[in-house]
Amino acid sequence: MIELEVPPHYAGREQAYVKHHFLREYLERLAFKIASAFDELVYVDGYSGPWKSGDENYGDTSFGIALERLTAARETWRDMPSRRRDVRMTAHLVEEKAGPFRELEGIGARFPEVSVKPHRGDFLKLAPSIASAIPQRAFTFSLIDPKGFTLDLDALKPLLARPRSEVVFNFMYEFANRFVEHPDLADTFDRLLPGVDWRPRFASLTADPASGPDERKAFLLSCFKEAVKAIGGFKYVADIEIRHPGKNRTYYFLVYATREPHGLEVFRDCQVKALAAQAQIAGQKSQAKRETNGQTSLFGTEWESAGINHRQFLDEQRNAARLLLLEIAATEPGIRWGEVWPRMLADYAIRKTDAGAIAGTLRKEAMVSFPGWGGKKRIPSDDYRLQLT
Ligand SMILES: C[S@@+](CC[C@H](N)C(=O)[O-])C[C@H]1O[C@@H](n2cnc3c(N)ncnc32)[C@H](O)[C@@H]1O
């Protein structure tokens, strides 16, 4: 487990630290990789803030983190001795409120390597014009992090459906779950979930006495993921659950959509690190609570039990991914491994190396085979074909 120190200005909003930790890791790898193939990388922050920032350099805001990562990637490529490249970096930052927008207006001067374009207004109205200002050949990464769940996905289509693009949403599950039964808000859910038959599905879910909070959570999340996938024409949509700090209760989901298997690979690598951060925060919180209450733990700290939960979750995900691999082998024999592992990563929180190791183990157990598997290979190559034995 990695050691983390949550900066003091995140106190009371540690869930934002997990989100920002993920974003920093992800954008670092994305910016570097994308800059090798594209001449321009565009970052769009739809609900940028600054919001509850306690760091004078905006290092605890999504746009501050993004601008810092874009700057670093640009400098790295420009200083590369063998393959020097000058990659244009652009950031569109949208904020509705006057106060935070005034701060945004001054931000460009701090990040001269990035062409910063602040916009004041409602992101849903501005998204189409931002989309049309982005050059065809640029790669776009959008972060859509509203405070609530009143999104209109159709309005975002011009941005999301760009062929060279991906997106991370903050899906405010806790609020969506609280209001899904509210009769006045059905239209709001229609706009959040366009093209998804959520009403009859929700009605049959609530009529089923066997379904509980977990089924409801899975239902809402999958409706949102279906809607995002369809609107953007994305190939893969994956999620990360973010819990209330120190509690075992879902706060929101980060929902990631991409067309690229490599994007999923990076997303899951970063998720595993973000999960470690979350487990550590959970442990620190419960330990602090015990100390305040004057209790001492019999078996060391609660930190350890948070670590165990986190490892247990990852084990469960690997087991579920193993079953998916077997199912794909049974139903689609001869499929390329390069088509299989992204599907495992899209559905479960495993890394590409985990998917390869699962395939290697199943092969050793003679459950599956990959004709032509080289003697020294431990994990399959993308062009190997999967068979059930
Ligand atoms: C949750 S905060 C964003 C936090 C930021 N992404 C971060 O991680 O540091 C949402 C921000 O969106 C702004 N906002 C609310 N409604 C908006 C809208 N319709 N269009 C653009 N910005 C909006 C709010 O004023 C607030 O600053």
Side-chain angles (χ1 to χ4, degrees), residues 38-42 88 90 92 117 129-140 162-164:
F38 289 83
D39 291 333
E40 181 169 357
L41 173 55
V42 179
R88 192 174 156 79
T90 304
H92 292 272
K117 301 186 187 304
S129 58
I130 291 175
S132 58
I134 299 173
Q136 273 292 317
R137 290 213 27 82
F139 186 91
T140 311
R162 291 177 58 82
R164 298 171 194 87

Side-chain angles (χ1 to χ4, degrees), residues 253-378:
F253 288 95
L254 293 177
V255 171
Y256 166 76
T258 185
R259 300 159 220 285
E260 297 299 328
H262 180 72
L264 269 180
E265 186 185 341
V266 177
F267 176 82
R268 290 305 187 193
D269 282 348
C270 297
Q271 172 179 20
V272 170
K273 290 185 185 163
L275 278 173
Q278 182 155 276
Q280 190 160 346
I281 287 167
Q284 284 164 349
K285 285 244 155 209
S286 43
Q287 190 189 352
K289 206 162 154 193
R290 277 172 168 266
E291 282 168 2
T292 317
N293 293 342
Q295 298 168 4
T296 47
S297 167
L298 207 54
F299 303 106
T301 66
E302 291 283 321
W303 192 95
E304 286 159 353
S305 96
I308 290 164
N309 287 343
H310 154 240
R311 284 192 292 275
Q312 198 177 357
F313 168 74
L314 292 177
D315 282 347
E316 285 163 9
Q317 295 287 297
R318 275 192 288 268
N319 287 338
R322 175 186 155 102
L323 293 178
L324 176 61
L325 191 160
L326 288 170
E327 186 190 315
I328 294 174
T331 52
E332 299 169 65
I335 186 172
R336 282 179 68 250
W337 176 243
E339 293 287 323
V340 178
W341 69 258
R343 281 163 62 183
M344 295 166 72
L345 266 66
D347 284 0
Y348 299 105
I350 60 164
R351 289 172 303 171
K352 187 182 176 191
T353 49
D354 297 322
I358 291 168
T361 306
L362 284 171
R363 179 179 165 268
K364 271 200 195 135
E365 292 169 356
M367 304 280 281
V368 300
S369 65
F370 291 88
W373 182 290
K376 289 199 178 126
K377 289 285 268 184
R378 296 181 57 199

Side-chain angles (χ1 to χ4, degrees), residues 36 58 74 86 109 138 172 179 194 207 216 229 249 257 259 277 287 295 303 311 330 347 357 360 381 385 387:
S36 71
Y58 300 107
R74 184 167 194 218
D86 193 11
M172 267 293 178
F179 293 110
R216 195 167 150 133
K229 190 172 190 178
R249 208 172 82 224
R259 300 159 220 285
Q287 190 189 352
Q295 298 168 4
W303 192 95
R311 284 192 292 275
D347 284 0
S381 302
R385 292 190 180 270
Q387 303 281 356

Side-chain angles (χ1 to χ4, degrees), residues 67-377:
L67 293 173
E68 196 255 314
R69 291 292 97 193
L70 299 191
T71 299
R74 184 167 194 218
E75 287 172 346
T76 305
W77 277 104
R78 211 179 30 214
D79 298 342
M80 192 111 55
S82 51
R83 283 182 64 196
R84 193 184 301 270
R85 280 171 57 72
D86 193 11
V87 184
R88 192 174 156 79
M89 300 288 182
T90 304
H92 292 272
L93 312 178
V94 184
E95 171 58 45
E96 196 171 44
K97 290 218 171 78
F101 179 74
R102 265 196 300 279
E103 289 190 55
L104 274 190
E105 281 185 302
I107 213 77
R110 292 171 183 242
F111 296 94
E113 297 291 347
V114 183
S115 169
V116 180
K117 301 186 187 304
H119 305 262
R120 171 143 190 228
D122 177 0
F123 178 55
L124 298 175
K125 296 208 176 88
L126 290 169
S129 58
I130 291 175
S132 58
I134 299 173
Q136 273 292 317
R137 290 213 27 82
F139 186 91
T140 311
F141 174 89
S142 301
L143 175 70
I144 300 179
D145 180 19
K147 277 194 289 189
F149 62 94
T150 51
L151 277 173
D152 178 344
L153 284 197
D154 269 328
L156 298 180
K157 187 166 181 158
L159 193 60
L160 302 184
R162 291 177 58 82
R164 298 171 194 87
S165 72
E166 55 186 34
V167 63
V168 169
F169 279 94
N170 175 345
F171 174 46
M172 267 293 178
Y173 164 76
E174 187 175 53
F175 298 156
N177 182 42
R178 197 181 303 159
F179 293 110
V180 65
E181 274 161 300
H182 198 297
D184 296 347
L185 291 179
D187 289 353
T188 304
F189 280 89
D190 286 341
R191 283 190 290 276
L192 179 72
L193 309 170
V196 178
D197 55 348
W198 70 273
R199 291 181 192 224
R201 281 162 64 184
F202 186 58
S204 61
L205 185 81
T206 44
D208 178 358
S211 81
D214 285 348
E215 285 73 21
R216 195 167 150 133
K217 181 157 79 178
F219 161 78
L220 277 171
L221 179 62
S222 75
C223 285
F224 184 66
K225 287 168 72 174
E226 281 169 38
V228 170
K229 190 172 190 178
I231 284 287
F234 292 107
K235 191 153 184 210
Y236 309 106
V237 184
D239 65 86
I240 301 181
E241 180 177 352
I242 308 286
R243 293 193 296 268
H244 277 276
K247 298 199 176 113
N248 199 9
R249 208 172 82 224
T250 309
Y251 197 160
Y252 58 83
F253 288 95
L254 293 177
V255 171
Y256 166 76
T258 185
R259 300 159 220 285
E260 297 299 328
H262 180 72
L264 269 180
E265 186 185 341
V266 177
F267 176 82
R268 290 305 187 193
D269 282 348
C270 297
Q271 172 179 20
V272 170
K273 290 185 185 163
L275 278 173
Q278 182 155 276
Q280 190 160 346
I281 287 167
Q284 284 164 349
K285 285 244 155 209
S286 43
Q287 190 189 352
K289 206 162 154 193
R290 277 172 168 266
E291 282 168 2
T292 317
N293 293 342
Q295 298 168 4
T296 47
S297 167
L298 207 54
F299 303 106
T301 66
E302 291 283 321
W303 192 95
E304 286 159 353
S305 96
I308 290 164
N309 287 343
H310 154 240
R311 284 192 292 275
Q312 198 177 357
F313 168 74
L314 292 177
D315 282 347
E316 285 163 9
Q317 295 287 297
R318 275 192 288 268
N319 287 338
R322 175 186 155 102
L323 293 178
L324 176 61
L325 191 160
L326 288 170
E327 186 190 315
I328 294 174
T331 52
E332 299 169 65
I335 186 172
R336 282 179 68 250
W337 176 243
E339 293 287 323
V340 178
W341 69 258
R343 281 163 62 183
M344 295 166 72
L345 266 66
D347 284 0
Y348 299 105
I350 60 164
R351 289 172 303 171
K352 187 182 176 191
T353 49
D354 297 322
I358 291 168
T361 306
L362 284 171
R363 179 179 165 268
K364 271 200 195 135
E365 292 169 356
M367 304 280 281
V368 300
S369 65
F370 291 88
W373 182 290
K376 289 199 178 126
K377 289 285 268 184

